[in-house]
């Protein structure tokens, strides 16, 4: 009979009472209680053990002590990494790093020279510029727009450039829309304002917030001047049509003041009409204005805004030309303009440029005087005691220099003057007059070439605004033209 031995009883549990009875935190076992493919630790020969993480399709290598967090993430995503020394340009006193002392960097998409420590790195400025590709792309697009504007003007300059011969002199106008999607500049060339006088009117208007105000001002200016009785009477006296070849009488101070008052009345009447119509139409159009009124041997210049007139006097004695600004750029930065705006309850703030503003008005303007722009003139908040913008022009006058080789005026919108200074403009016109005097062609062609050169120069110097240039070569009464058209 076989004897079956019973299994040995389990050994009794022995408790070591010599140990500290204070409870301690149990050590968590790394072995999972339930075996599954997601929790098993893969043991592959020749590789560091990896854990298959939940929601992960690829095994992630355990973080090594020498790895940086970014390089670990890149390696986990399958990005190839290459070693690079920690200090490519060590100082003479620095300790040379060992082969093991490396940082893992993302492989650069350049030539092998980028890994050569002897090649100096690019400057920080260049690296920062490359981190803004959208900005560089925008500059490229704007440069392309400038190139397109230049090509368009060169192709259409025969259409956008005009010549006029008035009793007061020779007139050339050149204009371009530039990179803008619309044209807001307008100009006026009225060779004869009154039936019985040789007085002429020329003007440039630079619109903003729409082109309606500039269009209206250009179409209405001549009517307001010709219908002004005071201006008509003085023009018939000092610039008679039948006596244009004779020397005009000397302008008296009282009559000069009447011309000043007449031009101011024309400007304020024009502004009242524009404001009334824009309020009724719920528009916010506005425009600057520059008017040159030639009456006999005297030239009057009236303007609001930053449309500028520059006089050039070509001396016959030393063959030099002198530039003189005969208008006022009405900017909020002018001390008198700023004082007037602040006294009325407004503000002068910087928003891209210095602007006239008020916290309760949604319109901010970069000029302190203009036509239109009714939000800053009518229906103002109680804290404003007077219109923040003015339509009263600055008026100046000068007599045509009969002893000069040439006396001329360059009228232009700020699209030109933002890129071309006064001296450059008058030297360009003088060069055209010199060529015409040398019998190298008619005055007409040279003046048109000078106006076109001014427009092209402004475009090539990155003027993004509409540009209008008007050149008036003044002819003193009693002197025939120095060159044929």
């Amino acid at each position: 009979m076989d004897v079956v031995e019973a299994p040995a009883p389990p050994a009794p549990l022995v408790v070591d009472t010599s140990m500290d009875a204070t409870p301690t935190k149990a050590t968590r076992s790394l072995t999972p209680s339930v075996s599954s493919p997601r929790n098993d630790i893969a043991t592959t020969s020749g590789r560091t053990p990896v854990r298959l993480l939940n929601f992960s399709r690829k095994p992630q290598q355990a973080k090594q002590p020498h790895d940086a967090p970014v390089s670990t993430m890149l390696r986990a995503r399958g990005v190839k990494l290459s070693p690079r020394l920690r200090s490519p340009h060590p100082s003479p006193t620095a300790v040379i790093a060992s082969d093991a002392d490396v940082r893992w960097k993302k492989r650069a998409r350049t030539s092998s020279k980028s890994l050569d420590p002897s090649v100096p790195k690019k400057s920080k400025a260049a690296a920062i510029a490359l981190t803004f590709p959208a900005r560089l792309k925008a500059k490229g697009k704007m440069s392309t727009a400038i190139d397109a504007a230049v090509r368009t003007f060169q192709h259409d300059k025969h259409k956008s450039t005009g010549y006029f011969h008035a009793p007061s002199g020779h007139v050339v106008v050149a204009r371009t829309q530039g990179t803008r999607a619309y044209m807001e500049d307008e100009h006026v060339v009225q060779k004869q304002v009154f039936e019985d006088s040789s007085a002429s009117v020329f003007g440039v208007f630079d619109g903003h917030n729409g082109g309606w105000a500039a269009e209206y001002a250009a179409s209405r200016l001549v009517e307001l001047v010709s219908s002004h009785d005071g201006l008509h009477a003085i023009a018939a006296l000092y610039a008679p049509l039948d006596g244009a070849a004779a020397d005009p009488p000397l302008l008296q101070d009282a009559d000069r003041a009447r011309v000043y008052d007449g031009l101011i009345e024309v400007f304020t009447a024009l502004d009242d009409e524009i404001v009334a119509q824009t309020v009724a139409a719920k528009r916010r159009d506005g425009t600057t204005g520059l008017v040159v009124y030639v009456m006999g041997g005297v030239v009057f210049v009236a303007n609001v805004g930053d449309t500028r007139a520059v006089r050039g006097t070509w001396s016959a004695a030393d063959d030099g030309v002198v530039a003189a600004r005969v208008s006022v750029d009405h900017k909020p930065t002018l001390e008198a303009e700023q004082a007037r705006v602040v006294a009325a309850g407004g503000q002068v703030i910087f928003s891209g440029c210095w602007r006239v503003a008020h916290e309760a008005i949604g319109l901010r303007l970069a000029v302190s005087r203009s036509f239109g722009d009714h939000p800053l003139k009518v229906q103002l908040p109680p804290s404003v005691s007077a219109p923040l913008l003015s339509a009263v022009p600055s008026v100046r006058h000068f007599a045509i220099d009969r002893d000069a080789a040439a006396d001329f005026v360059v009228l232009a919108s700020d699209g030109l003057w933002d890129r071309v200074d006064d001296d450059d403009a008058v030297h360009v016109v003088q060069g055209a007059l010199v060529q015409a005097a040398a019998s190298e062609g008619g005055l007409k062609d040279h003046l048109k070439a000078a106006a076109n050169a001014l427009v092209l120069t402004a475009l090539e110097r990155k003027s993004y605004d509409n540009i209008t240039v008007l050149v008036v070569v003044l002819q003193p009464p009693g002197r025939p033209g120095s060159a044929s058209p």
Side-chain angles (χ1 to χ4, degrees):
M1 178 176 178
D2 295 336
V3 178
V4 179
E5 297 181 357
L13 180 63
V14 179
V15 179
D16 188 2
T17 59
S18 65
M19 297 179 62
D20 188 5
T22 304
T24 58
K25 184 177 181 180
T27 303
R28 184 176 179 181
S29 175
L30 296 178
T31 303
S33 59
V34 179
S35 177
S36 68
R38 293 181 181 272
N39 294 330
D40 288 346
I41 299 178
T43 56
T44 304
S45 61
R47 294 187 59 185
T48 305
V50 297
R51 182 184 297 278
L52 297 178
L53 303 178
N54 291 336
F55 309 107
S56 176
R57 297 183 179 180
K58 293 183 179 181
Q60 293 185 347
Q61 189 78 18
K63 182 178 178 180
Q64 301 298 322
H66 62 273
D67 280 349
V70 175
S71 61
T72 302
M73 179 187 65
L74 294 175
R75 185 185 291 104
R77 295 182 179 179
V79 178
K80 294 182 179 180
L81 303 177
S82 58
R84 186 174 298 172
L85 293 179
R86 183 185 299 273
S87 178
H89 302 284
S91 61
T93 59
V95 179
I96 300 177
S98 62
D99 296 339
D101 186 15
V102 296
R103 293 291 297 274
W104 295 88
K105 301 289 184 179
K106 188 174 181 180
R107 189 187 303 274
R109 294 184 179 179
T110 58
S111 62
S112 58
K113 294 182 180 180
S114 61
L115 301 178
D116 187 0
S118 63
V119 178
K121 288 186 176 181
K122 294 183 179 180
S123 62
K124 185 177 180 181
I128 292 176
L130 292 177
T131 58
F132 295 93
R135 183 179 179 183
L136 296 178
K137 185 177 181 181
K139 286 186 177 181
K141 287 185 177 180
M142 189 57 69
S143 299
T144 304
I146 288 290
D147 295 338
V150 170
R151 290 193 300 268
T152 301
F153 178 75
Q154 290 177 336
H155 182 268
D156 299 336
K157 61 184 178 182
H158 63 284
K159 299 179 182 178
S160 57
T161 306
Y163 170 83
F164 308 91
H165 186 213
S168 56
H170 306 272
V171 185
V172 171
V173 58
R175 59 202 305 264
T176 181
Q177 184 171 312
T179 61
R180 294 288 182 89
Y182 37 80
M183 184 64 173
E184 293 179 335
D185 284 2
E186 298 293 337
H187 67 280
V188 174
V189 176
Q190 186 65 31
K191 298 184 290 185
Q192 183 178 344
V193 182
F194 309 104
E195 295 180 357
D196 54 352
S197 174
S198 60
S200 305
V201 169
F202 313 103
V204 175
F205 300 91
D206 184 2
H208 46 260
N209 293 325
W212 182 87
E215 294 178 4
Y216 183 87
S219 63
R220 188 80 174 101
L221 173 68
V222 177
E223 297 178 0
L224 292 174
V225 173
S226 60
S227 61
H228 194 281
D229 295 336
L231 294 177
H232 186 189
I234 298 175
L237 176 62
Y238 289 95
L241 186 61
D242 55 355
D247 292 339
L250 183 63
L251 181 64
Q252 301 297 319
D253 293 341
D255 293 332
R256 177 187 56 79
R258 291 174 61 188
V259 175
Y260 272 49
D261 294 339
L263 292 176
I264 293 175
E265 292 173 3
V266 168
F267 271 60
T268 53
L270 180 59
D271 180 62
D272 291 341
E273 294 180 6
I274 294 177
V275 168
Q277 297 198 35
T278 52
V279 169
K282 297 181 179 181
R283 302 176 63 99
R284 302 197 308 173
D285 299 58
T287 181
T288 65
L290 171 64
V291 175
V292 172
Y293 177 58
V294 184
M295 187 188 67
V298 183
V299 180
F300 295 86
V301 181
N303 80 292
V304 291
D306 56 0
T307 306
R308 186 184 305 170
V310 177
R311 178 191 182 189
T313 306
W314 178 18
S315 175
D318 56 1
D319 201 30
V321 62
V322 178
R325 191 175 300 183
V326 291
S327 62
V328 179
D329 290 352
H330 295 124
K331 295 286 190 179
T333 52
L334 294 179
E335 184 177 354
E337 297 297 296
Q338 182 178 2
R340 178 183 59 80
V341 172
V342 174
Q347 300 171 332
V348 176
I349 65 172
F350 188 85
S351 178
C353 62
W354 292 102
R355 300 175 183 270
V356 178
H358 189 276
E359 57 185 6
I361 301 176
L363 179 62
R364 301 174 177 178
L365 207 60
V367 293
S368 56
R369 302 192 190 189
S370 68
F371 294 118
D373 301 308
H374 70 83
L376 294 171
K377 293 182 178 179
V378 297
Q379 301 176 358
L380 299 171
S383 60
V384 180
S385 59
L388 302 182
L389 296 181
S390 174
V392 178
S394 296
V395 185
R396 296 179 176 181
H397 79 285
F398 63 90
I400 301 176
D401 192 346
R402 300 177 61 89
D403 298 329
D407 202 351
F408 56 90
V409 183
V410 180
L411 297 75
S413 58
D414 61 343
L416 174 77
W417 301 120
D418 287 345
R419 295 294 182 268
V420 179
D421 60 22
D422 300 357
D423 291 332
D424 290 343
V426 299
H427 277 90
V428 169
V429 178
Q430 183 206 18
L433 295 175
V434 170
Q435 294 178 1
S439 300
E440 299 178 6
L443 179 62
K444 171 183 176 180
D445 295 334
H446 289 295
L447 287 180
K448 291 176 68 174
N452 292 334
L454 290 175
V455 173
L456 287 174
T457 301
L459 288 175
E460 292 171 354
R461 294 181 181 179
K462 303 298 186 293
S463 176
Y464 303 121
D465 202 354
N466 303 146
I467 304 173
T468 299
V469 178
L470 198 150
V471 180
V472 181
V473 180
L474 301 168
Q475 180 176 325
R479 178 195 294 182
S482 60
S484 60

